[in-house]
Amino acid sequence: QGLSWDDYQDFRGSNSFNWNDDADFGFGGGFRYFGGNSDDDADNLGIPIGGDRGRGFSNNAALGANYNYDTKKNKLSTNYYYSQIRQQLDATRTQQNFFDGGSLLTEGQSNQINFTGAHRASVRYEHQIDSLQTIVFLNNTRIGLAKSDLGDTTSVFLNEGTRTDGPLTRTTRIDNTTRANTFGTANTLLYRLKFRKKGRLFAASATYQLNRSDGTADLESRNDFARPTSVNTFLRDIFQLQNTASIRSQYK
């Protein structure tokens, strides 16, 4: 069902938890966080911890490596991580609505396969200029792909009186395919100066973050009516091709 915190630390190495790298100084949320469950979200630059528990059949795979270099004046921490999740969701549903004189029975079956995969890389470099000055450079980058295929069939029956096997009034068949490519990167340069007087510190930072997402959705729906009318005939077949694109950049 995904990575544990111990797995996360193994993938990232000795510099997994640098709690003092927050460059926002308490104003707003920092862009660097350690994990999340929305692996198809371009904003999620950290390694996802846990998973989507309790839904469908999930097949997960992960691969990672890290390299660390540590001296008195220079500290370098790098890591690469790839993860993918293939999730299959099969559902059967039945719903019955009662009204005066009868009821409406709705039966449906659906099959959905979701796939998400992402490459992640991060770099942390710290250089101690002297005993009082330090600079830190941070980079998190993510390239992701998300795909989903959904097939769904729904049938509606009209039961009059006490009948439970009324005639079929409508059948709807849905075949949807969606695909999204995501890219996100965040870069921060942090400068710290310790004053000789104990307890005083000056810090300054600059951050640039970019998130981009491009997606397509192929939506198909067919409705078969037992009693076609001039109104529902126009709703018999629906075909849509949707394209989405978003780019968001942020400077701090």
Side-chain angles (χ1 to χ4, degrees):
Q1 294 294 343
L3 291 179
S4 68
W5 283 101
D6 291 338
D7 296 328
Y8 169 85
Q9 190 170 11
D10 290 339
F11 277 123
R12 293 213 56 187
S14 61
N15 289 316
S16 300
F17 305 101
N18 292 290
W19 302 107
N20 60 342
D21 283 348
D22 185 11
D24 286 331
F25 309 115
F27 297 98
F31 70 89
R32 300 181 72 251
Y33 55 93
F34 296 114
N37 293 327
S38 56
D39 199 45
D40 55 347
D41 185 359
D43 289 343
N44 184 5
L45 299 180
I47 293 177
I49 305 299
D52 192 3
R53 296 178 174 85
R55 297 185 67 235
F57 298 94
S58 181
N59 188 316
N60 302 339
L63 172 69
N66 68 78
Y67 174 77
N68 301 282
Y69 177 79
D70 194 347
T71 65
K72 186 176 180 180
K73 284 186 172 291
N74 298 287
K75 295 181 180 180
L76 175 67
S77 174
T78 64
N79 66 81
Y80 165 79
Y81 175 76
Y82 173 77
S83 64
Q84 70 176 37
I85 299 175
R86 184 184 184 275
Q87 184 185 50
Q88 182 171 352
L89 303 171
D90 298 323
T92 300
R93 60 189 181 276
T94 301
Q95 177 179 330
Q96 190 168 11
N97 298 321
F98 296 92
F99 54 89
D100 291 340
S103 64
L104 202 64
L105 177 64
T106 302
E107 296 180 344
Q109 289 185 334
S110 65
N111 173 264
Q112 185 173 5
I113 297 178
N114 300 323
F115 173 85
T116 58
H119 299 269
R120 290 175 170 86
S122 69
V123 176
R124 182 187 188 274
Y125 174 69
E126 179 179 331
H127 174 66
Q128 186 174 349
I129 302 174
D130 53 36
S131 60
L132 301 178
Q133 300 181 86
T134 304
I135 58 173
V136 179
F137 171 75
L138 307 168
N139 170 269
N140 283 344
T141 299
R142 177 188 184 278
I143 301 174
L145 169 66
K147 299 187 295 182
S148 178
D149 294 300
L150 169 65
D152 185 282
T153 301
T154 302
S155 300
V156 180
F157 302 87
L158 177 61
N159 303 322
E160 297 178 349
T162 58
R163 292 182 56 183
T164 58
D165 57 347
L168 176 67
T169 62
R170 175 174 58 86
T171 300
T172 301
R173 298 177 178 87
I174 295 175
D175 185 9
N176 294 343
T177 300
T178 60
R179 180 186 180 97
N181 296 287
T182 58
F183 172 79
T185 183
N187 302 273
T188 291
L189 185 64
L190 183 61
Y191 170 77
R192 297 192 185 100
L193 171 63
K194 292 182 179 179
F195 291 95
R196 296 192 181 277
K197 188 171 183 179
K198 186 177 181 180
R200 295 192 176 184
L201 174 72
F202 170 81
S205 71
T207 297
Y208 170 71
Q209 183 173 2
L210 173 68
N211 290 285
R212 186 177 68 234
S213 176
D214 301 296
T216 59
D218 187 0
L219 311 178
E220 299 182 6
S221 174
R222 179 175 180 84
N223 296 282
D224 294 323
F225 299 94
R227 298 177 181 178
T229 66
S230 59
V231 176
N232 61 30
T233 298
F234 290 103
L235 303 177
R236 184 177 297 276
D237 298 309
I238 300 176
F239 301 98
Q240 294 184 359
L241 180 61
Q242 301 177 356
N243 296 310
T244 59
S246 69
I247 298 177
R248 185 174 68 258
S249 60
Q250 185 179 56
Y251 301 88
K252 296 184 181 181

